[in-house]
Structure formats: C-alpha cells, structure tokens
Amino acid sequence: LNSAGSHPLQLWAVAQPASVEGTRITVEHDSDIGENVVVLESAYLATTFITCPRTASEKLGMKLPYMFLLVKSMDRLFSFEVEALDDRGVVRRLRASNYEVGARIEDDIGIVPLRLEENCWNYLTFDIALLLKGAF
C-alpha cells in the first residue's frame, strides 16, 4: 500500500494480533517505486488490518465517489472493505479480494473479485457510488 507523507499511518487505527507469528504492519521503503509503503502481512487476514478514520464515530466526509489504491501483490491473499452511505442514507459495505471467484450480494455487503498482477504494483480505481448503486 503506497503511503505518502512522513507519518503514513497517522490517521489510521491499526489492528495487529501480537500472538500471531509473522504478523506485521510496518512502514518500509520500496525500491520499485522509490517511496515508503505500508506493509501488512499476516497468516490471518481477518485479524490484521488498518481502518480510517481511527474510530467508528468519525466520518471522512468525502465528496467524490472515487477511491484510488496502489497495491503491490506479493502472491498472498488480499482484501479491502469500504463502508459508505448509499443514495438512501443506508450504510453499506463493499469488499474486493483476490480470493473471491465471483461477485455476489449478501445482506449488508457487496463482494467483488479482484485480480492482481503478481509481484508488481497494481493501480486500482473504484467508483464507490457506481458500485453501491449496482449492488444495492
């Protein structure tokens, strides 16, 4: 995850179980792009993550519906979720992951597969409003 600035995790809450060996969330320099990046590694995808804003009571207040990510695939499972208000004011979740084989809608979440090129940086662009409208 590309992380510009001198304190890239400043606005993020970090969840990282201390008891799981090989789990780490660190900021490191990546030689491919010549910048600092956030590294998240764990044997347990569901317990190692970062969230923004730091608390559930805070809101980002984003006006544009686009989300851009620069992600380096390291031949491991990868997933991210976004929570957003739909056009009716209902909080919805969207998940994209490289372990899903097809898109589906469950009660409160829209799930889409994500194909990443291995061992290189992938630019991801998501139109959150369009995905919410199509899913719900």
Side-chain angles (χ1 to χ4, degrees), residues 4 9-10 16 18 28 37 49 58 60 62 64 80 82 88 93 101 117 124-125 127 133:
L9 291 172
Q10 182 177 4
Q16 174 179 342
E28 299 175 4
V37 298
F49 55 89
E58 295 176 298
L60 290 179
M62 297 171 60
L64 297 175
F80 74 91
V82 175
R88 294 173 293 201
R93 287 186 307 148
V101 291
E117 293 294 323
L124 309 177
T125 303
D127 184 333
K133 187 175 182 178

Side-chain angles (χ1 to χ4, degrees), residues 100-121:
E100 298 291 346
V101 291
R104 68 181 189 277
I105 308 300
E106 294 180 1
D107 292 336
D108 65 340
I109 188 168
I111 301 169
V112 294
L114 182 63
R115 183 181 172 272
L116 299 173
E117 293 294 323
E118 295 301 326
N119 299 310
C120 67
W121 286 95

Side-chain angles (χ1 to χ4, degrees), residues 34-50:
E35 294 183 20
N36 286 339
V37 298
V38 175
V39 177
L40 290 91
E41 280 187 316
S42 178
Y44 301 100
L45 189 70
T47 60
T48 305
F49 55 89
I50 57 176

Side-chain angles (χ1 to χ4, degrees), residues 12-83:
W12 298 79
V14 175
Q16 174 179 342
S19 62
V20 178
E21 189 175 326
T23 296
R24 67 186 182 119
I25 299 177
T26 60
V27 177
E28 299 175 4
H29 186 78
D30 183 83
S31 60
D32 289 344
I33 61 173
E35 294 183 20
N36 286 339
V37 298
V38 175
V39 177
L40 290 91
E41 280 187 316
S42 178
Y44 301 100
L45 189 70
T47 60
T48 305
F49 55 89
I50 57 176
T51 59
C52 186
R54 294 179 72 80
T55 65
S57 63
E58 295 176 298
K59 305 291 181 225
L60 290 179
M62 297 171 60
K63 301 295 182 200
L64 297 175
Y66 303 103
M67 181 175 167
F68 302 95
L69 295 174
L70 179 57
V71 177
K72 188 174 189 176
S73 176
M74 301 300 292
D75 196 26
R76 301 202 176 176
L77 297 180
F78 173 77
S79 176
F80 74 91
E81 288 187 14
V82 175
E83 237 180 41

